[in-house]
Amino acid sequence: MALQSKKKIIIDTDPGVDDVLAMLLALAASPEEVEVLLISVTYGNVDVQNCLRNVVALFHIINKEQQWRKEQGRPEGFDMSKTNAKPIVAVGAEGPLTDQLMMADFFHGKDGLGEVHSTHPELSPSETWETLFQNTEDTMSASEVTNANELKEAEDEHSSFTPSRIPAHKQILKTLKEHDADTVTIVAIGPMTNLALAAADDAETFLRVKEVVVMGGAVDVPGNMTPLAEFNIHSDAFAAARLFALTSPDPSSTMPPSPAHMAMHTDHLPSPPFLQPYPEKLSKMLKLSLVPLDITMRHVLREQSYLKAVQPLQQQHSPLATWVSAFVAPVFERSIDRTISLHDPLAIQYALTSAEDWTVSEEQDIRVEASGQWSRGAFIVDRRGGAKKKRGAERGDVGDWLDIDKGNRIRVIKESPGDGANKFGDEMVEKIFGVELSRQ
């Protein structure tokens, strides 16, 4: 897959087995290909603190792997870590905007990575990292925070990333302000709460983003959380609906209604920004590209290929191979066909490569059901076949689906380049572990 000029990306994530594979894929790219500006952490697969620990552990393992490869006389890889442009890591939302918190620990394990921190404690970072993310907006005494020497020790130990002490949604806006408009891509591979909060806080700054790539949803296939809904969208359907509305010429036409239990505010208690409408006139529409289950379920990592690449590394005590195998092995075991669907890595791959090489649909009016009893998180698409027309109400068109000035404008990624569905898993493994399957 051909790579374009250097990309700048923000990864919004809830690690998660395939989230970690996705981040490894991004961080294994050469600095000439991509700069990971920010990893914003959200709840999702597990609670946000476990998600954060998994991000910290990821950088810890990369450092150990580089040391091991150097001792083995191998190329160290992960060259991005050798530059001065260290990714920022920011802690975000602890739960959805309006709904009850739901997690996928039944799949990913209680810690998000198959209990790897318990089974392989020697590969987990020390707990000093927790002091790095204490919010400077909080008022704490010096003794409650930590002493200066302990903080310096933590910063030295975890020097491959820059910890942010402001909430993730504010860090997203700060990062977008610090870079030219239309140069930064956000890849959302978890619930979209952080993005919705950022857009609600400052829609115009958020619209400086070049593109938002969303791994989520099910368009023409069943969901994986309910018969209709995919996990990331279902986890915070209200946030997803608000984000999708920014793609519309008239965001108010697809904005979700405020839940009844949150709509009771008085004059002296204004509603929070995430319940308020966007400004009437925005400078542009959001470009949003969707990587749904329709395509991700066809891109898999096969156990046979994985073991062929990684077992020799495990036998040589590669920290990365040992760590990753600890949490992917249970997923292979639960799979009938011994594969892992590469949902999140595929979204990262799209962001790293040229969009021209992918098959992408024309913009579609895809709306998110935010409040249905059985349909929460489902994608609603007009399948009646009528084309959008000039503005004005159409008789029998509740919701203005046929009004050309209403509705969302979502691009759906349909196919990866070439024989991607069969080759992507192998290519990802080669990139992450620094091996060539064809030579083994």
Side-chain angles (χ1 to χ4, degrees), residues 330-353:
V331 182
F332 282 129
E333 290 171 7
R334 289 196 300 267
S335 170
I336 295 175
D337 58 359
R338 313 293 288 196
T339 64
I340 297 175
S341 296
L342 298 174
H343 307 295
D344 297 339
L346 193 66
I348 289 291
Q349 182 70 1
Y350 171 77
L352 294 181
T353 55

Side-chain angles (χ1 to χ4, degrees), residues 111-171:
D111 67 357
L113 295 177
E115 322 305 338
V116 69
H117 301 294
S118 299
T119 60
H120 293 75
E122 74 281 4
L123 296 177
S124 294
S126 67
E127 298 302 316
T128 58
W129 62 267
E130 294 179 347
T131 64
L132 299 173
F133 296 93
Q134 288 170 340
N135 195 332
T136 55
E137 294 179 352
D138 295 339
T139 302
M140 301 181 188
S141 67
S143 61
E144 289 176 311
V145 178
T146 190
N147 65 50
N149 290 335
E150 288 176 334
L151 183 58
K152 180 65 166 61
E153 180 183 338
E155 290 173 343
D156 290 343
E157 182 180 353
H158 306 288
S159 60
S160 51
F161 64 87
T162 301
S164 173
R165 294 183 175 87
I166 61 174
H169 72 279
K170 293 185 181 294
Q171 186 63 60

Side-chain angles (χ1 to χ4, degrees), residues 339-385:
T339 64
I340 297 175
S341 296
L342 298 174
H343 307 295
D344 297 339
L346 193 66
I348 289 291
Q349 182 70 1
Y350 171 77
L352 294 181
T353 55
S354 171
E356 296 176 357
D357 295 335
W358 298 67
T359 302
V360 184
S361 75
E362 296 182 357
E363 292 177 341
Q364 299 183 44
D365 185 0
I366 297 175
R367 307 186 191 184
V368 180
E369 176 54 65
S371 56
Q373 180 182 3
W374 309 115
S375 57
R376 169 184 158 190
F379 283 167
I380 310 301
V381 180
D382 189 352
R383 305 186 190 279
R384 296 173 295 181

Side-chain angles (χ1 to χ4, degrees), residues 140-435:
M140 301 181 188
S141 67
S143 61
E144 289 176 311
V145 178
T146 190
N147 65 50
N149 290 335
E150 288 176 334
L151 183 58
K152 180 65 166 61
E153 180 183 338
E155 290 173 343
D156 290 343
E157 182 180 353
H158 306 288
S159 60
S160 51
F161 64 87
T162 301
S164 173
R165 294 183 175 87
I166 61 174
H169 72 279
K170 293 185 181 294
Q171 186 63 60
I172 289 172
L173 294 172
K174 185 174 185 291
T175 301
L176 291 173
K177 287 178 181 177
E178 292 171 347
H179 294 268
D180 291 340
D182 299 315
T183 62
V184 177
T185 296
I186 298 176
V187 188
I189 54 177
M192 274 150 276
T193 313
N194 286 339
L195 274 61
L197 287 170
D201 231 23
D202 187 344
E204 281 298 345
T205 295
F206 187 78
L207 288 173
R208 291 172 62 87
V209 71
K210 177 181 179 181
E211 180 180 10
V212 174
V213 179
V214 171
M215 187 283 119
V219 183
D220 294 311
V221 298
N224 62 3
M225 195 66 176
T226 74
L228 298 173
E230 176 274 335
F231 177 80
N232 287 343
I233 305 295
H234 184 270
S235 295
D236 196 345
F238 189 85
R242 283 190 62 98
L243 187 70
F244 280 35
L246 279 175
T247 70
S248 174
D250 179 6
S252 66
S253 66
T254 60
M255 284 281 277
S258 296
H261 70 280
M262 300 190 70
M264 300 174 62
H265 294 275
T266 63
D267 291 338
H268 65 276
L269 185 61
S271 61
F274 65 80
L275 290 181
Q276 297 176 10
Y278 292 122
E280 285 190 15
K281 293 186 178 181
L282 294 170
S283 60
K284 59 182 281 193
M285 294 183 290
L286 176 67
K287 180 180 179 182
L288 192 151
S289 299
L290 189 69
V291 185
L293 293 181
D294 306 55
I295 182 172
T296 63
M297 292 294 291
R298 292 186 279 110
H299 290 72
V300 300
L301 175 60
R302 294 174 176 82
E303 184 182 39
Q304 184 178 5
S305 294
Y306 177 81
L307 293 177
K308 181 181 179 182
V310 175
Q311 271 188 336
L313 299 176
Q314 278 187 271
Q315 293 167 0
Q316 298 171 58
H317 307 293
S318 155
L320 182 62
T322 303
W323 188 67
V324 172
S325 296
F327 53 80
V328 301
V331 182
F332 282 129
E333 290 171 7
R334 289 196 300 267
S335 170
I336 295 175
D337 58 359
R338 313 293 288 196
T339 64
I340 297 175
S341 296
L342 298 174
H343 307 295
D344 297 339
L346 193 66
I348 289 291
Q349 182 70 1
Y350 171 77
L352 294 181
T353 55
S354 171
E356 296 176 357
D357 295 335
W358 298 67
T359 302
V360 184
S361 75
E362 296 182 357
E363 292 177 341
Q364 299 183 44
D365 185 0
I366 297 175
R367 307 186 191 184
V368 180
E369 176 54 65
S371 56
Q373 180 182 3
W374 309 115
S375 57
R376 169 184 158 190
F379 283 167
I380 310 301
V381 180
D382 189 352
R383 305 186 190 279
R384 296 173 295 181
K388 285 185 177 287
K389 304 174 182 178
K390 294 182 180 180
R391 67 176 62 89
E394 181 83 7
R395 183 173 296 178
D397 181 35
V398 178
D400 295 323
W401 289 88
L402 300 178
D403 190 325
I404 199 169
D405 293 323
K406 309 285 185 181
N408 296 329
R409 306 289 188 270
I410 308 295
R411 304 166 74 250
V412 180
I413 312 304
K414 295 284 193 178
E415 299 287 347
S416 58
D419 192 25
N422 290 319
K423 294 182 178 179
F424 175 57
D426 290 357
E427 292 173 352
M428 181 192 73
V429 166
E430 290 178 336
K431 192 87 169 179
I432 290 174
F433 294 100
V435 298

